[in-house]
């Protein structure tokens, strides 16, 4: 196995097997699970599943079409029972066999008004449920495809003429995914970037660095650490995303609003922006680790890197209000801010292709440049115990590398 | 054949010239001593040799050319500042460092067990490194340095922090490795250890080479015109002897410039003096070192 991969495997296992990491890793999804379970439990306890009755004098529901389970979760599924006359329905209500009943008068098709009779006011879900039932009844004589299309309701499509991009109101994934990727990027940057810096400072402090550099090159050490810690970050993100993903998948089984196909083009673009950003920031963090004397000192300096990365979030109001402003374009092209800015702008507007391509290209060039720069600083600073690097030395090192 | 060579190497850190025009070469299978006081430039020379630092001037050759990643697998290095991961079990720390020297998992398992037994650390293999005593950590560091059976072993102050028993054990180990053909470069300021172990030496001070060559030759070069004689009898007045000094139960005879050791020996035999020891009085490395450093400081 290549030595770089050994470094990667070591860094990965060293961090992932730490108790505090495992605790942080599992506590977030567990907390989410508890929240989701509590929400389901609340709905379950608050839902009255006693059947709903109706009396149809209009003939709209002469051949009722049963509502399939898509219209409600097993927790909220309420049977709908027909009654020939209101007296029967009232008797059932009095006996507690139904929680309420609707009366559709003879002139329902003209007035579109139904009457709801109850002893205790039912939840608003009852109205939604019965409306859907009536809509299906009204469309019973239509061909199935027409009925489905009408039941689906309207969909707004916004199309950008020049870029050819379009956003559909029901494709919420296109709005949600870039914003989620931004949050993921920020999480990964803050957690793993910090780990990387700490790992380098520790190796300097416990003098392991001197042994490492006589076994493999500084570049192999850096690359192994960056990939290893990137894998740590992805493990964290994957585990944390698993619960919401399962939640969305479960919700999608019952609620059409949660149904969305994965846009692989968008996923690819997110990776194209997020990965070089991660490499660039990790390399800079490693370089900081190599130059400082103690981990605490490094944490103060990391603000210089993490602040610009988070700048688009601080300016999110301005970016959303005016996603095409010169400031938005400038932040989309500046490597430290480009990934988040582009992702935020993509959530609310169409980002011109040239800006995405230029931003991504500058990011990749910057990532490679940061690796090179960090390699030089790393080499210069890795064996400095209790001594800072001077700017003059750094510049001399860059000149000699040319 | 030379296995390590520095040729006119200089290196500065800011205004400090750590190494100044240093040249030396170490032959295959040699036990070479790098001597000098703290701050003499020994560690910087070693780091340049190992390609950790680039020299400002001069050239370096290891195993016939520039350092490569492959050559690193055949070199064992124990730095003066000991370094092991503190927060993980000893066995895991050593296995990881061995894997970076290109050993397979099976090789690591076999050799690690053997060395942990030999160094009396087997019972502590699951303990975190920071829970071990300083001496144990020192021994663990030695295992990390030799577990891959290096062709070239570079050790910086190998005896610091060791008690007499462990010092002897490390000495025996180094002798064993040398007998098996390992080239050893030992950097130290403990002169008596060098006298015991090394064949050739390089003495540095203030970044410069002060002495370089075979140990016996250097000692002979610094020997005065004197003899060391041990006898149970009293010494008569000897022609050609300027003065006599008592030295550890023997006598040091300082001769005139024209007197020879053969004449003195013949005179002792003729006088029926029992001679238990008769040799040219060679200075110790400590004495040579002090003399060289004092001369250099006087010339400055």
């Amino acid at each position: 196995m290549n030595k770089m991969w050994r470094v990667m495997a070591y860094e990965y296992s060293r961090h992932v097997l730490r108790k505090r990491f495992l605790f942080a890793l599992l506590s977030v999804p567990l907390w989410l699970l508890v929240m989701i379970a509590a929400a389901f439990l609340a709905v379950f306890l608050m839902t009255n599943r006693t059947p709903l009755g109706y009396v149809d004098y209009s003939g709209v529901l002469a051949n009722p079409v049963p509502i399939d389970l898509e219209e409600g979760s097993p927790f909220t599924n309420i049977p709908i029972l027909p009654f020939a006359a209101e007296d029967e329905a009232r008797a059932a209500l009095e006996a507690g066999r139904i929680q309420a009943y609707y009366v559709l008068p003879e002139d329902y098709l003209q007035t579109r008004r139904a009457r709801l009779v109850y002893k205790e006011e039912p939840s608003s879900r009852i109205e939604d449920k019965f409306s859907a039932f009536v809509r299906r009844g009204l469309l019973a004589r239509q061909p199935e495809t027409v009925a489905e299309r009408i039941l689906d309701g309207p969909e707004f499509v916004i199309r950008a003429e020049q870029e050819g991009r379009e956003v559909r109101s029901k494709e919420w994934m296109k709005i949600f995914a870039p914003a989620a990727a931004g949050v993921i990027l920020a999480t990964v940057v803050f957690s793993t970037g910090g780990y990387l810096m700490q790992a380098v400072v520790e190796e300097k402090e416990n003098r392991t660095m001197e042994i490492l550099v006589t076994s493999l090159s500084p570049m192999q050490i850096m690359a192994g650490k960056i990939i290893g810690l990137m894998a740590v970050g992805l493990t964290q993100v994957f585990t944390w995303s698993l619960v919401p993903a399962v939640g969305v998948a479960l919700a999608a089984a019952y609620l059409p609003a949660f149904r969305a196909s994965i846009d692989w083009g968008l996923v690819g673009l997110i990776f194209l922006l997020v990965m070089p950003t991660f490499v660039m920031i990790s390399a800079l963090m490693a370089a900081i680790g190599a130059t400082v004397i103690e981990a605490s000192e490094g944490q103060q300096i990391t603000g210089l890197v993490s602040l610009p990365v988070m700048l688009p979030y601080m300016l999110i109001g301005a970016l959303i209000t005016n996603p095409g402003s010169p400031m938005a374009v400038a932040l989309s092209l500046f490597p430290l801010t480009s990934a988040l800015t582009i992702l935020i702008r993509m959530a609310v507007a169409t980002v011109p292709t040239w800006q995405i391509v230029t931003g991504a290209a500058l990011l990749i060039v910057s990532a490679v440049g940061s690796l090179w720069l960090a390699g030089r600083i790393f080499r210069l600073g890795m064996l400095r115990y209790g001594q800072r690097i001077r700017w003059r030395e750094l510049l001399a090192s860059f000149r000699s590398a040319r | 054949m030379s296995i390590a060579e520095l040729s006119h190497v200089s290196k500065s850190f800011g205004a400090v010239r750590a190494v100044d025009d240093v040249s030396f070469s170490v032959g295959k299978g040699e036990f070479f001593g790098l001597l000098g006081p703290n701050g003499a430039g020994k560690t910087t020379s070693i780091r340049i040799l190992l390609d950790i630092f680039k020299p400002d001037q001069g050239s370096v050759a290891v195993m016939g050319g520039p350092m490569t990643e492959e050559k690193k697998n055949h070199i064992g290095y124990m730095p003066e500042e000991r370094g092991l991961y503190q927060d993980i079990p000893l066995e895991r720390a050593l296995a990881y460092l061995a894997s970076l020297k290109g050993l397979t998992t099976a090789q690591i398992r076999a050799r690690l067990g053997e060395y942990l037994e030999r160094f009396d650390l087997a019972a502590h293999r699951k303990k975190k490194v920071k829970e071990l005593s300083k001496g144990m950590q020192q021994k663990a560091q030695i295992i990390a340095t030799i577990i891959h059976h290096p062709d070239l072993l570079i050790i910086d102050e190998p005896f610091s922090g060791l008690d007499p028993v462990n010092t002897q054990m490390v000495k025996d180990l180094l002798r064993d490795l040398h007998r098996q053909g390992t080239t050893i470069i030992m950097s130290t300021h403990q002169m008596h250890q060098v006298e015991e172990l090394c064949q050739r030496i390089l003495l540095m001070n203030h970044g410069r080479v002060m002495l370089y060559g075979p140990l016996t030759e250097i000692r002979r070069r610094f020997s005065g015109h004197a003899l060391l004689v041990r006898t149970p009898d009293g010494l008569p007045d000897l022609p050609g002897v300027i003065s006599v000094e008592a030295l550890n139960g023997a006598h040091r005879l300082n001769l005139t410039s024209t007197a020879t050791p053969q004449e003195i020996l013949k005179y002792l035999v003729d006088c029926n003096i029992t001679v238990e020891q008769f040799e040219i009085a060679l200075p110790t490395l400590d004495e040579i070192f002090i003399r060289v450093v004092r001369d250099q400081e006087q010339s400055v």
Side-chain angles (χ1 to χ4, degrees), chain A residues 354-373:
Chain A
W354 75 265
Q355 289 180 20
I356 297 177
V357 171
T358 315
L362 286 173
L363 250 180
I364 292 168
V365 170
S366 304
V368 175
S370 302
L371 269 179
W372 179 85
L373 180 85

PDB file of all heavy atoms in Angstrom, chain A residues 354-373:
ATOM      1  N   TRP A 354     -20.839  31.173 -17.120  1.00  0.00           N
ATOM      2  CA  TRP A 354     -19.434  31.624 -17.136  1.00  0.00           C
ATOM      3  C   TRP A 354     -18.917  31.874 -15.728  1.00  0.00           C
ATOM      4  O   TRP A 354     -17.751  31.617 -15.426  1.00  0.00           O
ATOM      5  CB  TRP A 354     -19.250  32.859 -18.021  1.00  0.00           C
ATOM      6  CG  TRP A 354     -19.762  34.164 -17.443  1.00  0.00           C
ATOM      7  CD1 TRP A 354     -20.966  34.736 -17.656  1.00  0.00           C
ATOM      8  CD2 TRP A 354     -19.049  35.049 -16.537  1.00  0.00           C
ATOM      9  NE1 TRP A 354     -21.085  35.902 -16.947  1.00  0.00           N
ATOM     10  CE2 TRP A 354     -19.909  36.133 -16.260  1.00  0.00           C
ATOM     11  CE3 TRP A 354     -17.784  35.033 -15.943  1.00  0.00           C
ATOM     12  CZ2 TRP A 354     -19.556  37.174 -15.416  1.00  0.00           C
ATOM     13  CZ3 TRP A 354     -17.432  36.078 -15.099  1.00  0.00           C
ATOM     14  CH2 TRP A 354     -18.314  37.137 -14.844  1.00  0.00           C
ATOM     15  N   GLN A 355     -19.808  32.322 -14.855  1.00  0.00           N
ATOM     16  CA  GLN A 355     -19.379  32.597 -13.475  1.00  0.00           C
ATOM     17  C   GLN A 355     -19.101  31.294 -12.724  1.00  0.00           C
ATOM     18  O   GLN A 355     -18.140  31.188 -11.964  1.00  0.00           O
ATOM     19  CB  GLN A 355     -20.453  33.398 -12.735  1.00  0.00           C
ATOM     20  CG  GLN A 355     -20.548  34.826 -13.229  1.00  0.00           C
ATOM     21  CD  GLN A 355     -21.609  35.618 -12.493  1.00  0.00           C
ATOM     22  OE1 GLN A 355     -22.023  35.266 -11.408  1.00  0.00           O
ATOM     23  NE2 GLN A 355     -22.050  36.699 -13.111  1.00  0.00           N
ATOM     24  N   ILE A 356     -19.953  30.279 -12.975  1.00  0.00           N
ATOM     25  CA  ILE A 356     -19.730  28.977 -12.315  1.00  0.00           C
ATOM     26  C   ILE A 356     -18.424  28.366 -12.811  1.00  0.00           C
ATOM     27  O   ILE A 356     -17.583  27.909 -12.028  1.00  0.00           O
ATOM     28  CB  ILE A 356     -20.912  28.013 -12.582  1.00  0.00           C
ATOM     29  CG1 ILE A 356     -22.197  28.588 -11.975  1.00  0.00           C
ATOM     30  CG2 ILE A 356     -20.626  26.632 -12.009  1.00  0.00           C
ATOM     31  CD1 ILE A 356     -23.440  27.775 -12.239  1.00  0.00           C
ATOM     32  N   VAL A 357     -18.240  28.399 -14.145  1.00  0.00           N
ATOM     33  CA  VAL A 357     -17.039  27.784 -14.734  1.00  0.00           C
ATOM     34  C   VAL A 357     -15.790  28.525 -14.250  1.00  0.00           C
ATOM     35  O   VAL A 357     -14.810  27.899 -13.807  1.00  0.00           O
ATOM     36  CB  VAL A 357     -17.132  27.803 -16.281  1.00  0.00           C
ATOM     37  CG1 VAL A 357     -15.813  27.383 -16.909  1.00  0.00           C
ATOM     38  CG2 VAL A 357     -18.256  26.881 -16.735  1.00  0.00           C
ATOM     39  N   THR A 358     -15.824  29.862 -14.296  1.00  0.00           N
ATOM     40  CA  THR A 358     -14.645  30.638 -13.866  1.00  0.00           C
ATOM     41  C   THR A 358     -14.387  30.424 -12.374  1.00  0.00           C
ATOM     42  O   THR A 358     -13.238  30.206 -11.962  1.00  0.00           O
ATOM     43  CB  THR A 358     -14.853  32.148 -14.136  1.00  0.00           C
ATOM     44  OG1 THR A 358     -15.384  32.298 -15.444  1.00  0.00           O
ATOM     45  CG2 THR A 358     -13.561  32.920 -14.011  1.00  0.00           C
ATOM     46  N   GLY A 359     -15.461  30.472 -11.574  1.00  0.00           N
ATOM     47  CA  GLY A 359     -15.311  30.267 -10.123  1.00  0.00           C
ATOM     48  C   GLY A 359     -14.708  28.910  -9.825  1.00  0.00           C
ATOM     49  O   GLY A 359     -13.766  28.795  -9.025  1.00  0.00           O
ATOM     50  N   ALA A 360     -15.231  27.850 -10.495  1.00  0.00           N
ATOM     51  CA  ALA A 360     -14.734  26.485 -10.251  1.00  0.00           C
ATOM     52  C   ALA A 360     -13.278  26.358 -10.702  1.00  0.00           C
ATOM     53  O   ALA A 360     -12.450  25.753 -10.010  1.00  0.00           O
ATOM     54  CB  ALA A 360     -15.604  25.475 -10.975  1.00  0.00           C
ATOM     55  N   ALA A 361     -12.960  26.964 -11.871  1.00  0.00           N
ATOM     56  CA  ALA A 361     -11.586  26.872 -12.383  1.00  0.00           C
ATOM     57  C   ALA A 361     -10.621  27.572 -11.425  1.00  0.00           C
ATOM     58  O   ALA A 361      -9.555  27.025 -11.089  1.00  0.00           O
ATOM     59  CB  ALA A 361     -11.506  27.506 -13.770  1.00  0.00           C
ATOM     60  N   LEU A 362     -11.008  28.762 -10.963  1.00  0.00           N
ATOM     61  CA  LEU A 362     -10.145  29.491 -10.018  1.00  0.00           C
ATOM     62  C   LEU A 362      -9.983  28.700  -8.719  1.00  0.00           C
ATOM     63  O   LEU A 362      -8.901  28.675  -8.128  1.00  0.00           O
ATOM     64  CB  LEU A 362     -10.734  30.868  -9.709  1.00  0.00           C
ATOM     65  CG  LEU A 362     -10.601  31.919 -10.816  1.00  0.00           C
ATOM     66  CD1 LEU A 362     -11.369  33.181 -10.456  1.00  0.00           C
ATOM     67  CD2 LEU A 362      -9.138  32.252 -11.074  1.00  0.00           C
ATOM     68  N   LEU A 363     -11.061  28.028  -8.319  1.00  0.00           N
ATOM     69  CA  LEU A 363     -11.012  27.212  -7.097  1.00  0.00           C
ATOM     70  C   LEU A 363     -10.011  26.065  -7.240  1.00  0.00           C
ATOM     71  O   LEU A 363      -9.204  25.821  -6.339  1.00  0.00           O
ATOM     72  CB  LEU A 363     -12.391  26.608  -6.848  1.00  0.00           C
ATOM     73  CG  LEU A 363     -13.184  27.128  -5.671  1.00  0.00           C
ATOM     74  CD1 LEU A 363     -14.518  26.423  -5.580  1.00  0.00           C
ATOM     75  CD2 LEU A 363     -12.428  26.970  -4.374  1.00  0.00           C
ATOM     76  N   ILE A 364     -10.079  25.384  -8.383  1.00  0.00           N
ATOM     77  CA  ILE A 364      -9.190  24.231  -8.586  1.00  0.00           C
ATOM     78  C   ILE A 364      -7.731  24.705  -8.636  1.00  0.00           C
ATOM     79  O   ILE A 364      -6.849  24.113  -8.006  1.00  0.00           O
ATOM     80  CB  ILE A 364      -9.589  23.458  -9.863  1.00  0.00           C
ATOM     81  CG1 ILE A 364     -10.953  22.789  -9.631  1.00  0.00           C
ATOM     82  CG2 ILE A 364      -8.544  22.422 -10.233  1.00  0.00           C
ATOM     83  CD1 ILE A 364     -11.619  22.244 -10.869  1.00  0.00           C
ATOM     84  N   VAL A 365      -7.497  25.808  -9.370  1.00  0.00           N
ATOM     85  CA  VAL A 365      -6.132  26.352  -9.448  1.00  0.00           C
ATOM     86  C   VAL A 365      -5.660  26.749  -8.037  1.00  0.00           C
ATOM     87  O   VAL A 365      -4.530  26.458  -7.636  1.00  0.00           O
ATOM     88  CB  VAL A 365      -6.085  27.568 -10.412  1.00  0.00           C
ATOM     89  CG1 VAL A 365      -4.746  28.286 -10.322  1.00  0.00           C
ATOM     90  CG2 VAL A 365      -6.348  27.113 -11.837  1.00  0.00           C
ATOM     91  N   SER A 366      -6.551  27.367  -7.276  1.00  0.00           N
ATOM     92  CA  SER A 366      -6.188  27.797  -5.917  1.00  0.00           C
ATOM     93  C   SER A 366      -5.911  26.601  -5.017  1.00  0.00           C
ATOM     94  O   SER A 366      -5.025  26.658  -4.159  1.00  0.00           O
ATOM     95  CB  SER A 366      -7.309  28.622  -5.288  1.00  0.00           C
ATOM     96  OG  SER A 366      -7.609  29.696  -6.097  1.00  0.00           O
ATOM     97  N   ALA A 367      -6.701  25.527  -5.196  1.00  0.00           N
ATOM     98  CA  ALA A 367      -6.486  24.330  -4.371  1.00  0.00           C
ATOM     99  C   ALA A 367      -5.099  23.757  -4.632  1.00  0.00           C
ATOM    100  O   ALA A 367      -4.354  23.439  -3.695  1.00  0.00           O
ATOM    101  CB  ALA A 367      -7.562  23.292  -4.661  1.00  0.00           C
ATOM    102  N   VAL A 368      -4.731  23.659  -5.922  1.00  0.00           N
ATOM    103  CA  VAL A 368      -3.402  23.126  -6.269  1.00  0.00           C
ATOM    104  C   VAL A 368      -2.321  24.074  -5.738  1.00  0.00           C
ATOM    105  O   VAL A 368      -1.323  23.645  -5.140  1.00  0.00           O
ATOM    106  CB  VAL A 368      -3.287  22.942  -7.804  1.00  0.00           C
ATOM    107  CG1 VAL A 368      -1.878  22.517  -8.196  1.00  0.00           C
ATOM    108  CG2 VAL A 368      -4.302  21.911  -8.286  1.00  0.00           C
ATOM    109  N   GLY A 369      -2.546  25.382  -5.931  1.00  0.00           N
ATOM    110  CA  GLY A 369      -1.589  26.380  -5.453  1.00  0.00           C
ATOM    111  C   GLY A 369      -1.432  26.326  -3.937  1.00  0.00           C
ATOM    112  O   GLY A 369      -0.320  26.406  -3.419  1.00  0.00           O
ATOM    113  N   SER A 370      -2.559  26.153  -3.230  1.00  0.00           N
ATOM    114  CA  SER A 370      -2.502  26.090  -1.763  1.00  0.00           C
ATOM    115  C   SER A 370      -1.708  24.874  -1.311  1.00  0.00           C
ATOM    116  O   SER A 370      -0.954  24.936  -0.343  1.00  0.00           O
ATOM    117  CB  SER A 370      -3.899  25.985  -1.169  1.00  0.00           C
ATOM    118  OG  SER A 370      -4.665  27.052  -1.567  1.00  0.00           O
ATOM    119  N   LEU A 371      -1.904  23.754  -2.029  1.00  0.00           N
ATOM    120  CA  LEU A 371      -1.155  22.542  -1.681  1.00  0.00           C
ATOM    121  C   LEU A 371       0.344  22.792  -1.824  1.00  0.00           C
ATOM    122  O   LEU A 371       1.139  22.410  -0.973  1.00  0.00           O
ATOM    123  CB  LEU A 371      -1.570  21.384  -2.594  1.00  0.00           C
ATOM    124  CG  LEU A 371      -2.709  20.502  -2.113  1.00  0.00           C
ATOM    125  CD1 LEU A 371      -3.005  19.426  -3.137  1.00  0.00           C
ATOM    126  CD2 LEU A 371      -2.375  19.844  -0.775  1.00  0.00           C
ATOM    127  N   TRP A 372       0.724  23.441  -2.930  1.00  0.00           N
ATOM    128  CA  TRP A 372       2.138  23.728  -3.168  1.00  0.00           C
ATOM    129  C   TRP A 372       2.677  24.661  -2.084  1.00  0.00           C
ATOM    130  O   TRP A 372       3.713  24.407  -1.475  1.00  0.00           O
ATOM    131  CB  TRP A 372       2.297  24.371  -4.556  1.00  0.00           C
ATOM    132  CG  TRP A 372       3.724  24.731  -4.874  1.00  0.00           C
ATOM    133  CD1 TRP A 372       4.690  23.935  -5.397  1.00  0.00           C
ATOM    134  CD2 TRP A 372       4.350  26.006  -4.638  1.00  0.00           C
ATOM    135  NE1 TRP A 372       5.874  24.617  -5.511  1.00  0.00           N
ATOM    136  CE2 TRP A 372       5.693  25.893  -5.057  1.00  0.00           C
ATOM    137  CE3 TRP A 372       3.906  27.217  -4.123  1.00  0.00           C
ATOM    138  CZ2 TRP A 372       6.592  26.946  -4.972  1.00  0.00           C
ATOM    139  CZ3 TRP A 372       4.809  28.274  -4.039  1.00  0.00           C
ATOM    140  CH2 TRP A 372       6.133  28.136  -4.464  1.00  0.00           C
ATOM    141  N   LEU A 373       1.914  25.735  -1.847  1.00  0.00           N
ATOM    142  CA  LEU A 373       2.306  26.732  -0.851  1.00  0.00           C
ATOM    143  C   LEU A 373       2.434  26.081   0.531  1.00  0.00           C
ATOM    144  O   LEU A 373       3.433  26.270   1.240  1.00  0.00           O
ATOM    145  CB  LEU A 373       1.243  27.833  -0.809  1.00  0.00           C
ATOM    146  CG  LEU A 373       1.456  28.975   0.150  1.00  0.00           C
ATOM    147  CD1 LEU A 373       2.344  30.018  -0.490  1.00  0.00           C
ATOM    148  CD2 LEU A 373       0.125  29.626   0.513  1.00  0.00           C
TER     149      LEU A 373
END
